[in-house]
């Protein structure tokens, strides 16, 4: 078994981001700014927001946090987002999900300026990703892509896992992970099968794949019978059980196999906030480039 060290790869990427931010500050006197919005007092969400604020500070990115009451209406949230959209100091806006009343979460996300949508959830950015021809197209258009999927692709690239010409099964079809990840894999020339709760012969499909990505939220659902020797297994699941934290892949079941795998914790998890920082930097560069569109050249990082 080969373990993909998400913590190490994440630290290397964060250092790269920090160095780029320092260079921008030296050349322009400005740094990217990220606004976070927390509605309510959900303990897990408060921890996530705290981690994001600390990561911004460590990378030299300015952080602007806004807390709203749990009973805030969609109009209250929309008003704050409108204010942040117009603020030139804010390059990225992150609305922490789920909301206490998640029924209008999509409407709230859609109020975010696509140029500041660092979660990559706005239909405009999702559409750009779906229309991209390849990974160069994604890079050249500076598309803001959902953080966990882009983090997974970064892990695969840094671990020298071949995607081109390989078969990848993505288990899960969420807008946050499954769908954008499938598009990113296609952009890297993988042959992608998107599986879900209604998929028949799931075990056989996974067993034939070179890359298996589990993002279904079912503790230890994927075992050795789903993965072939020589495959790469990416575990996106973070499940809290009586025995502690575990992923969607039964690690004990596959630990003696000849595979490459991400552990839980320490695999995909550290990359999510890292790619949020990367998206904030992308948003800063994209917005400044748009402002200087009439001038020759563009800001490089």
């Amino acid at each position: 078994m080969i373990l993909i060290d998400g913590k190490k790869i994440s630290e290397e990427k964060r250092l790269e981001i920090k160095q780029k931010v320092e260079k921008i500050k030296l050349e322009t006197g400005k740094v990217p700014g990220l606004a976070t919005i927390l509605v309510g007092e959900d303990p897990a969400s408060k921890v996530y927001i705290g981690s994001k604020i600390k990561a911004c500070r460590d990378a030299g990115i300015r952080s602007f946090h806004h807390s709203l009451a749990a009973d805030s209406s969609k109009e209250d949230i929309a008003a704050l987002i409108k204010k942040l959209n117009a603020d030139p100091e804010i390059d990225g806006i992150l609305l922490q999900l789920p909301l206490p009343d998640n029924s209008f979460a999509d409407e709230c996300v859609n109020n975010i300026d696509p140029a500041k949508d660092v979660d990559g959830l706005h239909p405009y950015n999702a559409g750009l990703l779906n229309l991209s021809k390849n990974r160069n197209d994604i890079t050249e258009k500076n598309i803001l892509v959902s953080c966990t999927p882009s983090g997974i692709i970064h892990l695969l690239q840094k671990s020298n896992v071949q995607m081109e010409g390989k078969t990848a099964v993505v288990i899960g079809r969420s807008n946050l992970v499954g769908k954008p990840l499938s598009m990113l894999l296609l952009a890297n020339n993988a042959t992608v099968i998107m599986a879900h709760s209604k998929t028949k012969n799931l075990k056989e499909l996974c067993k034939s794949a070179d890359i298996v990505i589990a993002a279904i939220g079912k503790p230890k659902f994927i075992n050795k019978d789903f993965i072939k020797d020589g495959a790469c297994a990416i575990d996106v699941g973070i499940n809290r059980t009586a025995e502690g934290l575990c992923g969607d892949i039964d690690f004990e079941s596959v630990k003696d196999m000849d595979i490459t795998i991400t552990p839980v914790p320490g695999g995909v998890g550290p990359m999510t906030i890292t790619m949020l920082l990367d998206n904030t930097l992308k948003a800063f560069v994209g917005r400044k480039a748009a402002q200087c569109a009439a001038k020759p050249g563009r800001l490089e990082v």
Side-chain angles (χ1 to χ4, degrees):
M1 172 187 286
I2 299 173
L3 281 180
I4 295 177
D5 190 342
K7 187 172 184 296
K8 179 174 181 292
I9 294 172
S10 172
E11 288 171 351
E12 292 170 348
K13 182 64 176 178
R14 289 194 192 193
L15 177 59
E16 177 188 318
I17 293 167
K18 181 178 181 179
Q19 290 170 342
K20 288 180 177 181
V21 171
E22 289 173 347
K23 180 184 176 186
I24 288 173
K25 184 177 182 180
L26 185 65
E27 293 177 351
T28 70
K30 298 181 180 297
V31 297
L34 173 67
T36 51
I37 303 171
L38 177 62
V39 182
E41 297 288 332
D42 179 73
S45 292
K46 290 178 76 172
V47 169
Y48 293 147
I49 286 289
S51 298
K52 291 164 185 175
I53 291 172
K54 181 182 183 301
C56 282
R57 183 171 62 246
D58 293 344
I61 292 172
R62 294 180 69 191
S63 179
F64 303 83
H65 181 61
H66 300 267
S67 294
L68 294 176
D71 60 355
S72 296
S73 67
K74 63 181 178 182
E75 290 78 17
D76 295 329
I77 300 170
L80 174 56
I81 290 174
K82 183 178 179 181
K83 179 182 175 183
L84 296 174
N85 283 340
D87 190 338
E89 297 298 311
I90 304 298
D91 299 290
I93 301 171
L94 182 140
L95 176 62
Q96 183 66 41
L97 301 175
L99 300 177
D101 180 354
N102 214 44
S103 65
F104 48 75
D106 287 346
E107 292 178 68
C108 292
V109 168
N110 293 352
N111 285 319
I112 297 173
D113 180 349
K116 297 187 178 187
D117 169 40
V118 288
D119 250 347
L121 293 177
H122 193 284
Y124 178 83
N125 289 318
L128 284 180
L129 175 61
N130 286 346
L131 292 172
S132 297
K133 301 178 182 66
N134 50 51
R135 64 184 183 186
N136 290 335
D137 202 21
I138 295 170
T139 301
E140 289 170 5
K141 292 179 180 176
N142 208 42
I143 299 172
L144 297 175
V145 179
S146 186
C147 301
T148 299
S150 57
I152 291 169
I153 296 298
H154 188 76
L155 287 177
L156 292 173
Q157 290 171 337
K158 289 298 179 180
S159 303
N160 296 316
V161 175
Q162 181 74 21
M163 288 177 274
E164 183 169 341
K166 301 299 182 180
T167 299
V169 172
V170 179
I171 313 169
R173 52 181 169 179
S174 70
N175 291 331
L176 191 63
V177 179
K179 289 179 182 177
L181 178 55
S182 295
M183 293 300 103
L184 288 174
L185 287 164
L186 281 172
N188 282 274
N189 297 318
T191 299
V192 181
I193 299 171
M194 185 184 291
H196 45 79
S197 60
K198 304 298 182 184
T199 300
K200 297 183 184 295
N201 303 318
L202 178 60
K203 190 178 295 185
E204 289 76 11
L205 281 176
C206 291
K207 195 75 172 180
S208 67
D210 304 297
I211 302 170
V212 175
I213 301 174
I216 48 175
K218 292 185 177 181
K220 302 181 181 180
F221 180 78
I222 303 298
N223 59 36
K224 64 181 181 180
D225 296 329
F226 287 74
I227 303 170
K228 70 179 182 181
D229 280 323
C232 175
I234 302 294
D235 195 342
V236 187
I238 302 177
N239 306 289
R240 299 184 187 280
T241 67
E243 293 77 32
L245 203 65
C246 72
D248 291 347
I249 298 175
D250 185 350
F251 193 84
E252 286 299 312
S253 173
V254 303
K255 68 179 182 180
D256 295 325
M257 296 181 66
D258 177 23
I259 60 173
T260 300
I261 188 171
T262 56
V264 175
V268 172
M271 290 303 304
T272 299
I273 293 180
T274 298
M275 301 317 287
L276 171 66
L277 301 178
D278 193 51
N279 271 353
T280 304
L281 178 58
K282 280 184 182 179
F284 174 89
V285 172
R287 283 174 13 87
K288 293 301 178 285
Q291 292 167 8
C292 300
K295 301 177 182 179
R298 69 176 190 177
L299 180 63
E300 298 284 354
V301 296

